[in-house]
Structures are given as structure tokens and as C-alpha cells.
Amino acid sequence: MNDRSAQRRAPARVGPLDLFVAFVSITVVGFGGVMPWVRWMLVEKRAWLTEEEFLNVFALSNFMPGGNVINIAVVVGTRLAGLPGAVAALTGLVAPPALMVVGVASLYKAFGDLPAVQSMIGAVAAAAAGLVVAMGIKMTRPLRNSPRALAVIAAVLFAAVVLRMPLIWMLCLILPASFIAARLARR
């Protein structure tokens, strides 16, 4: 990790309106998957979190029940502006896509059988997968100097790709292993 990303950045006063606008802007551009945009907004654009803080919030959100991005919005909103911030971030994240989905569902019902529409959906799915891969690569950069972190990443990739292990089993196995490795490293 470089010194800049490890330092705690004290964001300027962040209010509920700031959080609402940030999460609305994420949902407006993040078709197919918003996690890359969430990371970009929180770490790179607004600098409300350091890379390490984002990784911690991301890990916590993956372990909690519910949608990862929703969990991140609530955690970050609460952290930066309390309960009103959590409500604002969550509303900004959920309201615009809900309205868009209703509109798109109506269009899909009417035109979903057309080959051109099916081709378009395939192309959008490929773009979304590329965004997720790019975000994963960016998230591993701060961890590249940690052999323990790289071992955990390799174990998770092996479990997911080779063993096709369900997420719940990976969490149940990797979380305790990561905790033990971190405890041993402190000694």
C-alpha cells in the first residue's frame, strides 16, 4: 500500500444531500452493476474513503445479508452523516433504478422477443462483466505487497473457479482463515 492510500483522509462535512446526489449519480451511470462506480465515487472522485477503508466496507458488506451495494450505501451513509445519511444514500441508490426498471420492463414486455433486443442484452452483459473484472483488479492493487492477502485471493479464486464452491461456503471457510492469519501476523 502506498502512503497516500494508507492515510486517513478526513472528508469535508458530508451531508445527506451530498450522499443522495452521489448515489443517484452512481445509479444513473451504473447500468448492469454499480460496484465499480461506487468504488470510483467513494475513493477516487469524492475521496470520502481511502482504498483500505473501501476494502473494509466492501468486505463487511459481502458478509452481511442483502445486496452488497445497498449495504455499502447504508454503512457509508451512516458513517459520514448518521441515520439521515444512510436514508439519503439508500434512497439515492434505490429510487432511480426502481423507476427505470419499471419503464424498461414495460419495453421488454413489448419488444423482448426481437433478435436485436436479445443481442443488445448480450452486449450489455459483456460490458458489465468487464467492469466487474476491472474493479477487482483495482481492488487488488493495494494488496499486492501482502503475501497473506494474495494467498487469500488465490484461495478464493480457486474455490470459485475450479471447485465452483457456493459463496456461503467460501465465506464460512475464508473468513476464519483470514482472521487466524491476521492474528498470527500480529504476533
Side-chain angles (χ1 to χ4, degrees):
M1 239 181 288
N2 62 33
D3 291 333
R4 184 173 167 230
S5 67
Q7 294 173 351
R8 169 87 171 116
R9 291 184 230 165
R13 174 99 169 98
V14 178
L17 182 60
D18 300 314
L19 287 158
F20 178 79
V21 169
F23 279 92
V24 164
S25 69
I26 288 167
T27 62
V28 170
V29 298
F31 290 90
V34 297
M35 190 60 77
W37 298 108
V38 171
R39 187 204 155 280
W40 174 79
M41 178 66 68
L42 297 175
V43 175
E44 295 178 25
K45 186 170 195 283
R46 304 279 176 120
W48 289 341
L49 300 176
T50 65
E51 185 70 42
E52 184 176 348
E53 289 168 332
F54 179 80
L55 288 172
N56 291 335
V57 169
F58 180 75
L60 177 64
S61 74
N62 275 287
F63 192 69
M64 296 184 322
N68 300 342
V69 177
I70 291 172
N71 293 340
I72 288 174
V74 171
V75 169
V76 170
T78 302
R79 181 178 182 173
L80 297 177
L83 182 60
V87 171
L90 184 59
T91 303
L93 182 69
V94 173
L99 296 173
M100 288 182 217
V101 166
V102 169
V104 170
S106 298
L107 291 172
Y108 186 76
K109 183 178 179 184
F111 305 107
D113 294 336
L114 297 175
V117 172
Q118 293 298 315
S119 294
M120 183 179 67
I121 291 171
V124 169
L131 284 172
V132 170
V133 169
M135 182 196 66
I137 291 168
K138 279 188 174 187
M139 287 178 59
T140 59
R141 282 188 191 142
L143 304 172
R144 69 182 176 268
N145 295 326
S146 171
R148 282 186 316 279
L150 294 175
V152 169
I153 291 168
V156 168
L157 284 173
F158 180 79
V161 175
V162 177
L163 301 178
R164 297 189 182 275
M165 188 180 288
L167 177 62
I168 189 69
W169 287 110
M170 283 193 283
L171 289 173
C172 289
L173 295 172
I174 297 296
L175 184 66
S178 298
F179 181 73
I180 291 167
R183 297 283 290 181
L184 291 174
R186 288 185 185 168
R187 291 183 182 177

